[in-house]
Amino acid sequence: MSEAFDAVDIIRTKRDGGSLADDQIDWVIDAYTRDVVADEQMAALAMAILLRGMDRREIARWTAAMIDSGERMDFSSLPRPTADKHSTGGVGDKITLPLAPLVAACGAAVPQLSGRGLGHTGGTLDKLEAIPGWRASLSNDEMMRQLADVGAVVCAAGSGLAPADKKLYALRDVTGTVESIPLLASSIMSKKIAEGTGALVLDVKVGSGAFLKHPEHARELAETMVALGTDAGVRTVALITGMDTPLGRTAGNALEVRESLEVLAGGGPADVVELTLALAREMLAATGLDDVDPAERLADGSAMDVWRRMVAAQGGDPDADLPEAKETSAVVADADGVLERLDALAVGVAAWRLGAGRARQGEPVQAGAGVVLHAKPGDHVRAGQPLLTLHTDTPERFDRALSALTDTDGEGSAAWVIGAGDPGDSGDRADIVIDRVDA
Amino acid sequence: MSEAFDAVDIIRTKRDGGSLADDQIDWVIDAYTRDVVADEQMAALAMAILLRGMDRREIARWTAAMIDSGERMDFSSLPRPTADKHSTGGVGDKITLPLAPLVAACGAAVPQLSGRGLGHTGGTLDKLEAIPGWRASLSNDEMMRQLADVGAVVCAAGSGLAPADKKLYALRDVTGTVESIPLLASSIMSKKIAEGTGALVLDVKVGSGAFLKHPEHARELAETMVALGTDAGVRTVALITGMDTPLGRTAGNALEVRESLEVLAGGGPADVVELTLALAREMLAATGLDDVDPAERLADGSAMDVWRRMVAAQGGDPDADLPEAKETSAVVADADGVLERLDALAVGVAAWRLGAGRARQGEPVQAGAGVVLHAKPGDHVRAGQPLLTLHTDTPERFDRALSALTDTDGEGSAAWVIGAGDPGDSGDRADIVIDRVDA
């Protein structure tokens, strides 16, 4: 059968700085899903899009075409309003774990389709899989039943949602075309719109440990996604949040589950609590449940109750001991003073190298591996005091993990700076929400 | 085995406007040849190179790496100096056919490794294959023997020369990454340097029917290639020549062989003769044979003698009748006046659609198909007089070929303009050499 368009014409149009027509976009996404447009052609187009950009109309159409490549879910039969959250990913970002049960405890239904980690940022599913028995794959029916019964579900996205995005995401990962705001925005929003949530809160990270290093890029991504969601009838808000320092005091799978449990028990690091509550309030406001105070639901144990039911509904044992790494190794402070900086990227890379993350899709991860932080920026430290503890089952990994922390640039720069400054508030307490983008 | 570099790092470096290091270039070309770097990764890198460019050092290293991906030929044992020519391709460009035997008749050895056509420009091998019995594939031994005996050989490049380029060329063709001056220059020069010629004359076309439409791009490509050749020890000169109007009065395989025979017989269109002699003089000057006048060797029949021996050495019958298309159709002038313009691209596309060219590598072509021009710009024409004749074995192709000539832009613009101006010199006689680039 002859095709309506030619892939090379479309690549050339974007390469030369032109706009793609709606029917060109519809065709190229559909033809790529059908394997008529080859991977090498889509890779060239993705690079041209990264370097030439897409305008708002093109991004909206690209997103719609990816949604149309698969099925759409429908939560309208649920008795509760639905609210979802997406984070662009950061080091120590375990927020989904306390947030989903917390928002469900406040009366919303939270259908959280999540992914696995790649590179230095961890994946929510990898973290939950540290819980003995817990499984990420649910059928659509199981998911709906759990949402109705428990109010919260965190599971793997089925292959039926935006299959074009699934294919394109894997391609972008190996072709240096991840960091394109139009491609990032359409990838995230096609899945979230196809998922059928009524409200969506976006956590757009910015800083050394985030995907986007510059505030203006984070703002552009946030604005693009809020516009896409709003145009598709989803109440969408974005928070731009800091990721120069790891979130909380752990990076790693079981380590982060343990820290999330502290938050659900009413404790936990102040920055994790602050961000969890900020996102919960946005999700509740977007679903009209803003008369509920999520802080109370943490304090009164109802969020923890939902967590236990949510874990159990997916086969996990909420009372089981979490895996611990076989070996640990401390990294100590090399001076007295105030910890002025502790680089998120370096900690993320160290956790990855210890076995908490994967270099390629499909690789296993270690449940117990990761990094525990004993100080955050603003804390006073003494020479010889442990700054970090490295955890792994495979101690031959310590050397490369340590070098990510002690030599971040190939010239011996450490991931931390200890200075003479007055001790300030601990980094745990620093304002983590930088900006807010609304429709 | 672990690899020295990561393809994504290299893609990102170029994507972000950086320079690739020598060892990155060596690795990426070698790893692509070994299928370790995937097609989609090379496509993304090619697009990044097209949009970000490469500096002189990078282009030289890229070229050297492609040469090193295969074997090199060596003509130093031949008693004659070697000279080769490369054209960037145009409509009606049959120059290699009279040029190779002519330069051999003047005392040089001409090892002309050629390719097949793709799209609207024809390929030299396709043209010669219109001669009954002629074969394009020779072993290296056969090629050397023919160069020693006859002095000229036109044959297919073996797969051993610059295999990285062969793979990359096919990839660029389907990914919209052909039109990159660094990639064009390195592709052409890697094959010519690996071939081992002592002197090289480049015919860089510019105009509507050429690959490059703007004189400044043609000059940049010419300068880049001359520098690459010179640095590799090949005496290299480039002529920049016009391609707004087809060269000569035919476009098509057997049609162009017939026109070449007219030139070898001492006649032929003035523009074809002019360009053949200009290139011959450059090739002879570069090999130190500049006391020979090539015009004499056309006039005295010695170039035709070499042609006949060259064709016969490759199995062709120089006396055989050339194939003729089964059907013809005339396109007539729609006004009295002076033909002011006859667009090369439109004529090339018409010849292609008639069956003279192919849309995909490996497709067959029709030996007899093509276009014959009855007037060139500067000629006076009368309404109703044939301007062009279309030739094909498959008359259902006439409609689409005609539309390439009568509607070049989707808005009914014809490929020709007939105006009121005074008749000038025929386009056959216009100065075809626009510029010359020397080391």
Side-chain angles (χ1 to χ4, degrees), chain B residues 45-110:
Chain B
L45 180 58
M47 182 59 78
I49 289 171
L50 188 145
L51 289 170
R52 293 295 200 174
M54 286 206 285
D55 63 29
R56 283 279 163 102
R57 177 195 55 78
E58 289 175 287
I59 300 172
R61 191 71 177 208
W62 187 276
T63 305
M66 294 215 292
I67 294 168
D68 289 345
S69 73
E71 64 185 22
R72 294 184 74 144
M73 298 184 70
D74 181 1
F75 297 125
S76 60
S77 63
L78 287 176
R80 304 170 174 208
T82 49
D84 194 4
K85 163 257 180 184
H86 180 84
S87 160
T88 60
V91 177
D93 183 6
K94 68 279 297 172
I95 302 295
T96 294
L97 276 56
L99 179 67
L102 172 60
V103 173
C106 296
V110 185

Side-chain angles (χ1 to χ4, degrees), chain B residues 181-270:
Chain B
I181 286 174
L183 294 178
L184 280 168
S186 55
S187 173
I188 293 167
M189 295 305 293
S190 63
K191 283 174 290 196
K192 291 298 177 185
I193 295 167
E195 173 198 291
T197 186
L200 176 63
V201 177
L202 300 160
D203 178 6
V204 180
K205 305 285 189 192
V206 64
S208 88
F211 209 51
L212 298 173
K213 315 295 179 196
H214 302 292
E216 65 272 30
H217 293 161
R219 196 170 171 92
E220 188 186 342
L221 177 62
E223 288 174 349
T224 305
M225 293 195 294
V226 168
L228 284 171
T230 304
D231 289 351
V234 181
R235 286 180 301 284
T236 310
V237 173
L239 298 184
I240 298 174
T241 70
M243 186 34 72
D244 281 319
T245 283
L247 199 50
R249 292 183 169 245
T250 58
N253 301 308
L255 292 170
E256 294 190 46
V257 174
R258 204 168 284 123
E259 194 168 52
S260 300
L261 287 168
E262 292 170 19
V263 174
L264 287 162

Side-chain angles (χ1 to χ4, degrees), chain A residues 95-417:
Chain A
I95 301 295
T96 293
L97 276 55
L99 179 66
L102 171 60
V103 173
C106 295
V110 185
Q112 178 80 50
L113 299 182
S114 292
R116 283 169 211 285
L118 195 63
H120 76 277
T121 60
T124 297
L125 300 182
D126 296 321
K127 294 171 193 178
L128 284 164
E129 283 176 344
I131 301 170
W134 189 87
R135 66 188 168 89
S137 287
L138 297 183
S139 68
N140 285 0
D141 281 352
E142 288 172 318
M143 186 182 171
M144 287 298 274
R145 208 156 41 233
Q146 185 172 334
L147 274 178
D149 294 351
V150 181
V153 62
V154 182
C155 65
S159 59
L161 288 184
D165 174 68
K166 200 178 182 103
K167 203 175 162 191
L168 182 55
Y169 185 88
L171 180 76
R172 287 165 53 215
D173 184 51
V174 297
T175 56
T177 52
V178 171
E179 298 91 340
S180 153
I181 285 173
L183 295 178
L184 281 168
S186 55
S187 173
I188 293 167
M189 295 305 292
S190 63
K191 282 174 291 195
K192 291 298 177 186
I193 295 168
E195 174 198 292
T197 186
L200 177 63
V201 177
L202 300 161
D203 179 5
V204 180
K205 305 285 190 192
V206 63
S208 88
F211 211 51
L212 298 172
K213 314 293 179 197
H214 303 293
E216 65 272 30
H217 293 162
R219 192 168 175 94
E220 189 187 342
L221 178 62
E223 288 174 349
T224 304
M225 292 195 295
V226 168
L228 283 172
T230 304
D231 289 350
V234 180
R235 287 180 301 284
T236 310
V237 173
L239 298 183
I240 298 174
T241 69
M243 187 33 73
D244 281 320
T245 284
L247 197 51
R249 292 182 169 247
T250 58
N253 300 309
L255 293 170
E256 293 190 45
V257 173
R258 204 168 282 121
E259 193 169 54
S260 301
L261 287 168
E262 292 171 19
V263 174
L264 287 162
D271 56 352
V272 177
V273 175
E274 178 199 333
L275 184 53
T276 302
L277 289 174
L279 290 167
R281 289 191 180 105
E282 293 289 354
M283 290 167 77
L284 294 169
T287 48
L289 294 165
D290 41 359
D291 53 333
V292 188
D293 180 2
E296 283 177 21
R297 304 294 162 102
L298 280 181
D300 69 13
S302 53
M304 179 68 97
D305 286 344
V306 177
W307 162 267
R308 293 175 60 85
R309 291 167 56 214
M310 181 181 94
V311 168
Q314 290 174 247
D317 176 359
D319 296 312
D321 286 337
L322 291 167
E324 292 191 38
K326 291 182 182 139
E327 307 277 342
T328 62
S329 172
V331 180
V332 300
D334 45 358
D336 288 349
V338 175
L339 184 62
E340 294 178 346
R341 196 168 153 269
L342 179 57
D343 183 64
L345 176 61
V347 172
V349 171
W352 175 21
R353 290 184 179 173
L354 289 164
R358 57 176 67 79
R360 280 191 192 75
Q361 292 186 346
E363 282 181 1
V365 298
Q366 293 183 21
V371 178
V372 173
L373 282 58
H374 304 294
K376 292 282 287 266
D379 289 347
H380 202 95
V381 297
R382 294 185 153 281
Q385 165 196 329
L387 273 186
L388 309 159
T389 305
L390 313 184
H391 294 240
T392 187
D393 292 334
T394 42
E396 64 273 19
R397 292 170 175 260
F398 280 135
D399 273 358
R400 287 198 68 225
L402 191 63
S403 78
L405 293 162
T406 55
D407 182 16
T408 57
D409 56 0
E411 293 176 8
S413 301
W416 63 85
V417 175

